[in-house]
Amino acid sequence: MALSNTQYNEIMHEYEIIQQENRADLEKRREYVYEHVPGYKELADSISKISVEFEISRLNGKKTDSAFLHDKLEDIRARQRILLHDAGLSENYLLPKYNCPDCKDTGYIGNKKCHCFNQRVVSMLYAQSHLQVLTRENNFKKLTEAYYTGEHLDHFRKAKQISINFIKNFDSTYQNLLFHGTVGTGKSFLSICIAKEVLDRGHSVVYYSSCDLFRKLTDFYYDFNKKTELANLCENIYNCELLIIDDLGTEISNAFVLAQLFTICNERELLKRSTIISTNLSLKEIQNRYHDRIFSRLAKNFQLLRLSGPDIRMQMAKKQN
Ligand SMILES: [Zn+2]
């Protein structure tokens, strides 16, 4: 599973809070009934008394009749239900309520995680990925061939098919993609489409524009008070199951940034964590801008996918006018 221990504990803590709230809520309803439904509390007390007496007899080795006890308790409970009903309340008024009845707000059914737990994981992963907003507009449902023709369409179809395979094999295969090509040819769009599918399958994804990522790393690195933030950021970008660096080449270029980019590639390769990079730079420009040791890593470990054609945003703007 894609969660860190801290994230797991955070989710389990949410369940504890829900349980506490629901228990407090039940306690309030019980107090209300004890106060407003005459005779109800006496019946509840008699259930406790009879049960305790039965247990003491059993422990003392006396002969006990559990079927008789069962019938007796059932009889009392039926009388309680009638009292609730006569007071205009639901018969279930004093049953515990759960946000998720399937796991009774424990997160687990037996030793398997409940669907509500998995849902929380996905929500948490979305929040961590910075992709909550972007995936609303950039997803496979909105992907269209309409803006591509000729060889551009061929490039797009190939990239799309490889993206689909990337998702299909994500659980079993270490794979990296590098989308390159001119501005507005759908590189970021495809990266985010993939991110959405991978997130929805419960994997951790972290998305950064190159510019933001290296600015943040630089800020944290040179600020002594940000050591924890730096450690958390590095932990996230080295370990997340899918890292997306959008718009490589828009970051400031200096020795620190180059070293960081190399470290990211290296760490992720060692951990066999997949990465997607998109860039408006051509392969030649990548080679010129980054050291050979970075370029050779990209060339060796990444599937290079070229997208081409006229700027889609311009085409869309023209259409709207
Ligand atoms: Zn549940």
Side-chain angles (χ1 to χ4, degrees), residues 9 42 47 52 71 90 100 104 120 153 174 190 208 235 239 251 303:
N9 292 338
E42 288 69 22
I47 289 180
V52 170
D71 289 348
S90 153
C100 175
K104 299 194 165 62
R120 273 164 207 276
L153 180 59
Y174 165 62
L190 265 178
Y208 272 106
E235 157 81 19
N239 284 315
E251 74 287 342
Q303 183 155 12

Side-chain angles (χ1 to χ4, degrees), residues 131-188:
L131 281 168
Q132 281 144 311
V133 178
L134 285 172
T135 44
R136 273 179 227 148
E137 287 304 315
N138 301 249
N139 55 63
F140 273 105
K141 277 192 194 135
K142 304 216 169 172
L143 195 66
T144 167
E145 293 188 346
Y147 298 105
Y148 302 91
T149 52
E151 61 158 349
H152 309 315
L153 180 59
D154 296 339
H155 291 153
F156 172 75
R157 282 186 175 156
K158 183 182 171 200
K160 183 181 162 191
Q161 191 51 52
I162 287 171
S163 302
I164 291 170
N165 293 343
F166 180 96
I167 296 158
K168 207 161 74 187
N169 302 324
F170 190 80
D171 283 329
S172 57
T173 316
Y174 165 62
Q175 44 186 347
N176 305 296
L177 303 178
L178 189 144
F179 294 113
H180 64 102
T182 46
V183 178
T185 45
K187 302 178 297 293
S188 304

Side-chain angles (χ1 to χ4, degrees), residues 15 100 102-103 114-117:
Y15 282 115
C100 175
D102 295 337
C103 66
C114 181
H115 55 86
C116 70
F117 188 101

